[in-house]
Amino acid sequence: AYILDITERQKAEQELKESESKANALLESSPAGILAADANGRIVFLNSMMESLFGYSRDEMMGRDVEMLIPTQFRARHVNFRAEFLKKPKVRVMGTGRELKGRHKNGQELDIEVGLSFIQTAGGPLVMAFVTDISTRKRVEQELMNTKEAAEDANRAKSQFLANMSHEIRTPMNAIMGISQALSKHNTENLTLTQIEGFVRIHEAGQRLLQLV
């Protein structure tokens, strides 16, 4: 019975190691940065993507406050946020619809989105953070916005130009039409039929031009 107990325990330990190995492999292969922080905000776990995103090595981040990854001006607010989250933990996505910044080791600020989840362990509560760098997406969105605004400005300028040209054309055209109409109706005894027809054609052409502008 003793030998059987040892065998079963060893089997259970082996299965646990294999399970942990698979879990670690999944976390390491994640395209998102993943870290876990304890109730005091100290980093107790992170994957290699976190190293790539923030420029720190694993050793530089382990055991440090998670605020090291946040711009200085937001750190005090983040400490309060952590406390509030632990009071009412729930899965949430941060950064959607508003600005959220991270801080690279070189001081550069990153546009990020962060998903949060809560895990209760035997050693205490852990907050899991799933971090995605959206700096490229934000830059492309801004470029598209700038392009759209430039196109709208160009359309407004074109519309204004056409309105001005229409006004400038209508004023002399109305005068020409008025003169041609008057000449075609008065003193016709001194005009040939060809001249009268010419004035009528001028008047009709003017009307068509006014319809266009």
Side-chain angles (χ1 to χ4, degrees):
Y2 178 76
I3 295 176
L4 182 60
D5 289 342
I6 293 294
T7 302
E8 289 180 350
R9 187 176 67 184
Q10 289 176 339
K11 182 180 179 181
E13 290 175 350
Q14 182 61 32
E15 290 176 350
L16 179 60
K17 289 180 181 179
E18 291 177 357
S19 177
E20 290 177 348
S21 178
K22 289 178 181 178
N24 287 332
L26 287 173
L27 293 173
E28 284 297 325
S29 64
S30 170
I34 301 175
L35 70 78
D38 64 17
N40 295 315
R42 294 190 180 90
I43 300 171
V44 297
F45 170 84
L46 57 99
N47 67 351
S48 57
M49 183 56 70
M50 287 296 296
E51 296 177 283
S52 299
L53 288 178
F54 291 92
Y56 292 99
S57 69
R58 194 178 301 259
D59 290 339
E60 288 176 309
M61 287 186 278
M62 287 293 291
R64 297 279 304 280
D65 291 342
V66 71
E67 278 77 28
M68 70 179 293
L69 305 177
I70 297 173
T72 305
Q73 65 271 29
F74 302 131
R75 290 178 180 176
R77 186 177 67 183
H78 189 265
V79 171
N80 294 331
F81 172 79
R82 283 198 292 103
E84 291 298 321
F85 180 79
L86 287 173
K87 289 179 182 178
K88 297 180 179 179
K90 64 178 180 179
V91 176
R92 67 181 69 178
V93 177
M94 299 171 59
T96 303
R98 64 184 179 89
E99 296 293 330
L100 193 65
K101 298 289 187 180
R103 182 183 183 278
H104 193 275
K105 182 179 180 179
N106 63 15
Q108 178 184 358
E109 290 191 359
L110 309 173
D111 293 302
I112 58 175
E113 283 184 349
V114 181
L116 295 178
S117 63
F118 177 84
I119 301 175
Q120 184 64 56
T121 71
L126 293 180
V127 177
M128 297 290 293
F130 304 84
V131 184
T132 304
D133 183 357
I134 59 170
S135 298
T136 300
R137 190 182 82 190
K138 295 282 287 187
R139 183 169 62 253
V140 171
E141 289 175 351
Q142 186 59 51
E143 290 173 355
L144 290 174
M145 182 64 69
N146 293 340
T147 300
K148 179 183 177 182
E149 291 176 353
E152 290 174 347
D153 289 341
N155 284 333
R156 282 192 292 268
K158 182 175 69 175
S159 298
Q160 186 61 45
F161 172 77
L162 292 176
N164 292 338
M165 289 300 297
S166 176
H167 175 74
E168 294 299 326
I169 292 174
R170 280 179 178 275
T171 300
M173 186 59 67
N174 283 326
I176 292 172
M177 288 180 62
I179 294 172
S180 66
Q181 188 175 26
L183 289 174
S184 66
K185 290 182 178 180
H186 298 287
N187 299 321
T188 55
E189 66 276 4
N190 296 324
L191 300 175
T192 66
L193 180 61
T194 300
Q195 290 173 325
I196 293 174
E197 290 176 347
F199 288 130
V200 171
R201 290 194 185 96
I202 291 173
H203 183 74
E204 291 175 347
Q207 285 182 322
R208 286 194 293 271
L209 283 173
L210 285 176
Q211 290 175 354
L212 291 175
V213 298

